[in-house]
Amino acid sequence: MSGRARVRARGIARSPSATEVGRTPVSPSPASVVLSDNEASSSSEFMETSRISLNCKYGVSSGNVGSTFSERGVAISRNFMDLDICTRQKLAHVRDCKTGSSGIPVKLVTNLFSLDLPQDWQLYQYHVTYIPDLASRRLRIALLYSHSELSNKAKAFDGAILFLSQKLKEKVTVLSSETKRGETVKMTITLTSELPSSSPVCIQVFNIIFRKILKKLSMYQIGRNFYNPSEPVEIPQHKLSLWPGFAISVSQFESRLLFSADVSYKVLRNETVLEFMTALCYKTGLSCFSETCEKQLIGLTVLTRYNNKTYRIDDIDWSVRPTHTFQKRDGTEITYMDYYKQQYDITLSDLNQPMLVSLLKSKRNNNTEAQLVHLVPELCFLTGLTDQATSDFQLMKAVAEETRLGPLGRQQRLARLVDDIQRNKDARFELETWGLHFGSQMSLTGRVVPSEKILMQDHVCQPVSSADWSKDIRACKILSAQSLNMWLILCSNRMEIVTESFVNCLRKVGSAMGFNVDYPKIIKVQENPAAFLRAIQQHVHPDVQLVMCILPSNQKNYYDSIKKYLSSDCPVPSQCVLARTLNKQGMMMSVATKIAMQMTCKLGGELWALEIPLKSLMVVGIDVCKDALSKDVVVGCVASINPRITRWFSRCIVQRTVTDVADCLRVFMTGALNKWYKYNHDLPARIIVYRDGVGDGQLKTLVEYEVPQLLTSVTEASSNTSSRLSVIVVRKKCMPRFFTEMNRTVQNPPLGTVVDSEATRPEWYDFYLISQAARQGTVNPTYYNVIYDDNGLKPDHMQRLTFKLCHLYYNWPGLVSIPAPCLYAHKLTFLVAQSIHKEPNLQLANSLFYL
Amino acid sequence: MPNRRASRNAYYFFVQEKIPELRRRGLPVAHVADAVPYCSSDWVKPVSTPLRRPGMLVPKQNVSLPDMSSLSLKSDQALLGGIFYFLNIFSHGELPPHCEQRFLPCEIGCVKYSLQEGIMADFHSFINPGEIPRGFRFHCQAASDSSHKIPISNFQSGHDQATVLQNLYRFIHPYPGNWPPIYCKSDDRARVNWCLKHMAKASEIRQDLELLTVEDLVVGIYQQKFLKEPSKTWVRSLLDVAMWDYSSNTRCKWHEENDILFCALAVCRKIAYCISNSLATLFGIQLTEAHVPLQDYKASNSVTPKMVVLDAGRYQKLRVESPGFSHFNYSNQDQRTNTPIGDYPSGVKISGQNSSVRGRGITRLLESISNSSSNIHKFSNCETSLSPYMSQKDGYKSFSSFS
């Protein structure tokens, strides 16, 4: 449908109903289903990346004729929206300087590249109107671009808004052109604004320019990223091919404009849907073919090579064939077969194949009707990996070997991309006409903060590696543990002997770490969830401290039913262990140690602590996710309730809202402060909240909606001096990557590396921290953005505190990627969203029952 | 001239409530009128607290006690004998608002219940959902897979909608006269209502059933008995329990055989169990197998001597040595109450009848067998903790005491 030729030929005036161009409403009868795969999907994709969908010069990319031109100019895509929130300005103590100074400086290479502009560079925004009005954007673009006045200028145009790097002579320019039909069209180009290079609109234009450039390097945009189909990495033994590609963006960093690129891969299966169907038909026979086919195919994502777009298979229409006709937008009827011949010069070989149906998401608003497209199985390639494939260890290993690039491999790929951009004539021309200079790879100086000591009961231990100190603490006693006197083990008959030896092992490792474990009551049950649940109901009484279940399989039913009953109906800490884990030879001791630690925490024990100089500090972690069943929003909040930060109050609240913004923070904070008061007879002097689970574009809501909730509960808690609050947004995914140069090669930076300059944003009080060890591949820094800060801690202290908190996750004796309270909150929301589906009983709130 | 005060609506009070906060933010608001522009965005935001839940598809009927008045129950006796029907209809997911067909009914379950008799009869049927709107097969399939797992096509057991509805009517109302009240959980009400209407349209039988919520029923019964209103949270947690999930004779045959928890019949039966276990006991009703799945909890099929590992002498030594934390140690607490001195430093073990150090494990075993029925005590215990007003004194005899 996005056929250039046809649209050009048409040139029809915009009709009053043009607001619905290309969006024929869905009707149940298949005959009127419109094949408009290109348009709608490309428009939706443009929406994702940037609302200003501009077309490139020769109309290679396709785009939808949007009805909301006027809105487009204003609307700024979600990831750019956050940039408007200048939180740093309100924080007096970091307004001038937000960098720390402690630690050993380390030189880092980044995946950022400088992008230089002339000092007085400006972007000129024009509005273009057509008389008579034209509906087709392609035609609008073609007419405008054909003018000599504009032909050699750098420009970007979406059909209504025109951006130029050079000013036109007149404020209002009138041009006229003639269509192929002989109509004369008058175009009025009016200057609307002059934008400096730092304006968000410019940033978007730069992104568009780079997207054009990557297309010139014969890369194709799929989703948000660009891939190179001409250099696939084949994994023939698994019928897979990987398309190498990049995720790119341009944005304003601390002091300058930077281009960032990261390596990405698209996993494709070397099989069309038609081939898949044929193979399936041979395997199953005709009788139940359509049923199995629907079962296996529906829900999968396919890629159509003719336009490199992806679709989800929502249905299969067995009644439609490629020889059937559909109605095009202009009302003419055409068969699918002819359409593909005309449009893409593809000849279909199988004229009896059914058609796949895909439901296009309307990104604009929810009340417009969904649109259906028909796709030809022969032209659809399966993408991604099936569940079956992901559970195939060999396959995943083969994929990981290719995709998990180490720092060196990543660096080489980046170097090649830069090289390609600089060598390609068209790309270079594009950059030059805009006046952009693509510079060198950025390097900057980070700091490695000192490693931390782990405080055990009577030992202070300096771990050999802060990535894993399990060996270092083996001989030490944990801080505190409740002795376990009354507990149950449920296991199946055949696990009896293993369970006995496991219990002995557990008692042995328990006594070594100072966790006294009595002999449990072992109950043998049949191997089904009902038997387990029934046995729990019969044997759990108020004195039972903990229930351990040796699960015969990792079937979700067992875990879910046990957790559901024991977390809400009848609140008792529970520990599930897979029988398979206990059967591993030679692993019993380490398994028992791990489980003993978990059990201690579930009973309210404390494992280790860190030296934290701030007294009376409460740290809070918040995470948000969606319930797997009901799609309710699950908010998990975890707060420390002692000054040592070893005991936690955990609460999970299920919100019946659509947006993943927490509504219930007051309820939680008040509860947490009460708990703190109960144990410490005072309120905490400082509260630091780490908020995880924030998506693009949510920063504003956070600042305006969540921070006030926290503030009110804090101020309400005491009449005179209220606790000082800081709120930090934690993001695990961020664009920058850092490498250290060592012996002429690049490596992952050491643990505890902090970056708070250059790669940060000028309008925020932010920093990057590397607190996780990557065994393979490249380490991902965690990004912290302090959006509210009454505490006025020095950046140094804030960074060190954050690093310390990454040591306190009791489920792993080592550093974790995010602060412990956040990871606890994540674990809690995950349990609720996946298994319990309701709020856990508050009686459990004082222990880490969800570990 | 009408009283101006009458025009004050909810929004007015919302804005009034917001004014202090706005002033704190430093906005110049003197009157409600000044504050209106700042509040409109907040007003639109859904607010959720455990007690207030917006976003219900169908506005809840503003009735405090509709069921009771309609039954005109004067005494406990009338309440006990009163018959309620619990109904649920499952759908293959929910389609987006712009679709004409919002639900695809696929399973129906209904039970006839009274506090006195427990479950008196039940009705269950699979429904043929009809043609799945083109393009929504994935959506429906995914919704089904994540819950009841009923196949969306080629499912032989599905009956056509008209027949199912006729059978349902016959089940609920075999004789002419007044129709009894039908209840379902408030979360399901919109769906069940839609499905009933849809099926009636297909079958051209006009009979508008009055669908009420179980939550209101529970509130009503409680109020009738204790003249107090229980909290919504309590009612909700009373109805939302996992303990009966795997009980025998609760799910329909198909769901039982395939071991799938989500079953329309099971939802209805579980409502009956919950009401029986927590409310019927308040009236001093002897629970029978019609009230709760007692058969699963008979002592006979629970503990056989073989199943318990005797914690005999070989561990006694360890036990005495281990100090433990006295305040967490349950058996030590027992000692305190039994001994006149009361307070012992932690780690001191006093031998005696109540000490955790016992002779041969066999005593324990025998005790555990004799106690196996009282082990079920936990059910009631969970509820006592939830129940706002109930205590054992109230004559609260739960399920456990009868088994």
Side-chain angles (χ1 to χ4, degrees), chain A residues 343-394:
Chain A
Q343 195 68 45
Y344 301 104
D345 196 24
I346 297 170
T347 316
L348 298 180
S349 62
D350 185 341
L351 299 183
N352 275 319
Q353 54 190 320
M355 296 292 240
L356 306 178
V357 180
S358 182
L359 200 62
L360 298 177
K361 265 191 247 162
S362 152
K363 292 258 166 158
R364 263 172 222 170
N365 41 19
N366 293 325
N367 47 22
T368 53
E369 292 192 16
Q371 197 180 8
L372 294 176
V373 291
H374 276 175
L375 304 165
V376 186
E378 192 181 338
L379 306 176
C380 295
F381 284 83
L382 293 166
T383 67
L385 297 168
T386 54
D387 291 344
Q388 203 189 338
T390 44
S391 57
D392 180 344
F393 177 76
Q394 289 302 330

Side-chain angles (χ1 to χ4, degrees), chain A residues 481 507 522 537-538 569 838, chain B residues 240 242-243 297 307 318 375:
Chain A
R507 290 164 54 86
I522 298 178
Q537 286 169 8
Q538 276 168 1
D569 289 13
K838 60 179 181 178
Chain B
D240 190 13
M243 64 174 293
Y297 300 94
M307 280 186 179
L318 259 170
N375 281 342

Side-chain angles (χ1 to χ4, degrees), chain A residues 447-460:
Chain A
R447 287 171 293 112
V448 186
V449 297
S451 62
E452 298 291 334
K453 293 188 191 76
I454 307 300
L455 311 182
M456 304 298 287
Q457 201 181 63
D458 36 22
H459 255 87
V460 176

Side-chain angles (χ1 to χ4, degrees), chain B residues 334-394:
Chain B
D334 274 3
Q335 291 160 17
R336 281 188 207 157
T337 52
N338 284 332
T339 46
I341 311 151
D343 209 7
Y344 284 92
S346 76
V348 175
K349 284 271 175 185
I350 294 177
S351 59
Q353 215 192 340
N354 280 313
S355 156
S356 63
V357 186
R358 301 205 181 144
R360 303 286 301 168
I362 195 74
T363 2
R364 260 232 164 147
L365 166 70
L366 291 174
E367 203 177 272
S368 70
I369 293 170
S370 64
N371 280 349
S372 61
S373 57
S374 62
N375 281 342
I376 307 169
H377 207 72
K378 190 68 198 177
F379 304 146
S380 48
N381 249 301
C382 301
E383 269 131 26
T384 11
S385 63
L386 291 166
S387 155
Y389 310 116
M390 291 176 197
S391 70
Q392 300 290 345
K393 272 181 262 163
D394 282 340

Side-chain angles (χ1 to χ4, degrees), chain B residues 104-223:
Chain B
L104 294 144
C106 60
E107 189 190 13
I108 185 167
C110 185
V111 299
K112 181 181 179 185
Y113 175 82
S114 78
L115 287 168
Q116 184 81 60
E117 302 279 317
I119 295 171
M120 301 156 86
D122 62 24
F123 169 78
H124 172 266
S125 181
F126 287 107
I127 308 168
N128 182 0
E131 194 68 28
I132 287 154
R134 179 66 69 211
F136 287 98
R137 188 171 281 271
F138 170 70
H139 182 88
C140 297
Q141 183 88 63
S144 163
D145 286 349
S146 69
S147 56
H148 48 68
K149 298 197 173 71
I150 298 169
I152 58 171
S153 53
N154 298 319
F155 187 55
Q156 259 63 30
S157 321
H159 297 286
D160 80 283
Q161 305 193 351
T163 322
V164 171
L165 197 66
Q166 223 159 31
N167 290 341
L168 174 72
Y169 287 160
R170 215 170 289 149
F171 173 72
I172 293 175
H173 193 243
Y175 312 107
N178 277 342
W179 282 71
I182 315 287
Y183 298 89
C184 73
K185 283 199 192 179
S186 57
D187 286 355
D188 303 331
R189 192 161 174 259
R191 184 183 66 235
V192 174
N193 230 348
W194 193 96
C195 289
L196 280 177
K197 289 227 168 70
H198 179 76
M199 286 158 72
K201 220 184 281 168
S203 62
E204 290 172 359
I205 313 171
R206 289 255 161 256
Q207 182 61 63
D208 286 327
L209 288 181
E210 195 188 3
L211 201 59
L212 305 163
T213 70
V214 179
E215 283 84 349
D216 287 339
L217 175 69
V218 172
V219 170
I221 295 175
Y222 196 91
Q223 230 167 10

Side-chain angles (χ1 to χ4, degrees), chain A residues 660-713:
Chain A
D660 36 2
V661 175
D663 264 338
C664 48
L665 297 180
R666 271 179 75 172
V667 181
F668 166 74
M669 265 322 270
T670 314
L673 288 170
N674 284 341
K675 271 271 148 49
W676 180 281
Y677 192 84
K678 199 176 137 198
Y679 291 112
N680 306 295
H681 312 293
D682 197 5
L683 286 172
R686 300 169 186 276
I687 301 171
I688 296 187
V689 179
Y690 288 90
R691 167 72 155 91
D692 199 355
V694 184
D696 279 337
Q698 287 189 329
L699 206 58
K700 192 167 191 258
T701 343
L702 237 60
V703 172
E704 290 179 359
Y705 191 58
E706 287 192 9
V707 173
Q709 289 179 52
L710 293 166
L711 266 179
T712 352
S713 49

Side-chain angles (χ1 to χ4, degrees), chain A residues 67 81 393 447 587:
Chain A
S67 54
M81 241 153 66
F393 177 76
R447 287 171 293 112
M587 295 286 282

Side-chain angles (χ1 to χ4, degrees), chain A residues 545-820:
Chain A
Q545 291 169 283
L546 185 131
V547 180
M548 179 183 278
C549 299
I550 313 292
L551 304 181
S553 79
N554 62 354
Q555 220 183 28
K556 210 167 169 288
N557 270 354
Y558 283 102
Y559 188 79
D560 286 5
S561 56
I562 291 166
K563 287 290 175 189
K564 200 171 173 192
Y565 182 72
L566 289 178
S567 316
S568 61
D569 289 13
C570 173
V572 176
S574 55
Q575 177 77 49
C576 291
V577 185
L578 278 181
R580 209 175 50 201
T581 319
L582 299 186
N583 282 328
K584 277 182 193 158
Q585 288 304 312
M587 295 286 282
M588 191 69 101
M589 273 311 226
S590 56
V591 167
T593 313
K594 182 97 197 323
I595 290 173
M597 285 189 172
Q598 275 193 22
M599 283 164 62
T600 321
C601 297
K602 286 179 181 181
L603 294 169
E606 300 143 278
L607 301 185
W608 58 78
L610 242 65
E611 189 69 54
I612 290 174
L614 291 175
K615 296 296 162 220
S616 190
L617 164 74
M618 176 196 255
V619 290
V620 179
I622 301 171
D623 199 358
V624 173
C625 75
K626 280 230 162 41
D627 190 295
L629 276 186
S630 59
K631 305 296 171 208
D632 285 343
V633 175
V634 181
V635 183
C637 308
V638 176
S640 63
I641 46 170
N642 64 346
R644 225 176 170 185
I645 317 191
T646 52
R647 303 177 65 90
W648 304 90
F649 168 74
S650 320
R651 187 165 179 187
C652 193
I653 297 171
V654 179
Q655 283 179 188
R656 314 231 162 175
T657 50
V658 196
T659 52
D660 36 2
V661 175
D663 264 338
C664 48
L665 297 180
R666 271 179 75 172
V667 181
F668 166 74
M669 265 322 270
T670 314
L673 288 170
N674 284 341
K675 271 271 148 49
W676 180 281
Y677 192 84
K678 199 176 137 198
Y679 291 112
N680 306 295
H681 312 293
D682 197 5
L683 286 172
R686 300 169 186 276
I687 301 171
I688 296 187
V689 179
Y690 288 90
R691 167 72 155 91
D692 199 355
V694 184
D696 279 337
Q698 287 189 329
L699 206 58
K700 192 167 191 258
T701 343
L702 237 60
V703 172
E704 290 179 359
Y705 191 58
E706 287 192 9
V707 173
Q709 289 179 52
L710 293 166
L711 266 179
T712 352
S713 49
V714 169
T715 39
E716 274 173 4
S718 85
S719 48
N720 35 36
T721 53
S722 67
S723 321
R724 279 173 289 174
L725 178 80
S726 299
V727 183
I728 302 165
V729 174
V730 181
R731 301 201 68 168
K732 281 162 291 199
K733 281 190 187 130
C734 56
M735 204 56 182
R737 300 274 189 147
F738 305 109
F739 321 111
T740 45
E741 267 179 310
M742 284 254 223
N743 317 324
R744 294 207 190 145
T745 178
V746 284
Q747 286 180 351
N748 280 324
L751 284 171
T753 302
V754 172
V755 174
D756 55 8
S757 59
E758 303 287 338
T760 50
R761 311 274 185 171
E763 63 273 21
W764 295 335
Y765 171 20
D766 54 350
F767 60 92
Y768 298 88
L769 172 65
I770 291 166
S771 60
Q772 62 178 332
R775 283 201 197 83
Q776 46 176 323
T778 317
V779 72
N780 230 342
T782 310
Y783 182 59
Y784 297 90
N785 184 3
V786 186
I787 56 168
Y788 187 85
D789 190 6
D790 274 344
N791 279 301
L793 292 181
K794 277 195 230 161
D796 254 340
H797 295 162
M798 192 57 113
Q799 293 160 4
R800 292 258 336 245
L801 176 71
T802 306
F803 184 57
K804 279 170 192 280
L805 291 175
C806 294
H807 289 75
L808 286 172
Y809 184 59
Y810 287 160
N811 218 0
W812 173 247
L815 268 171
V816 289
S817 60
I818 52 172

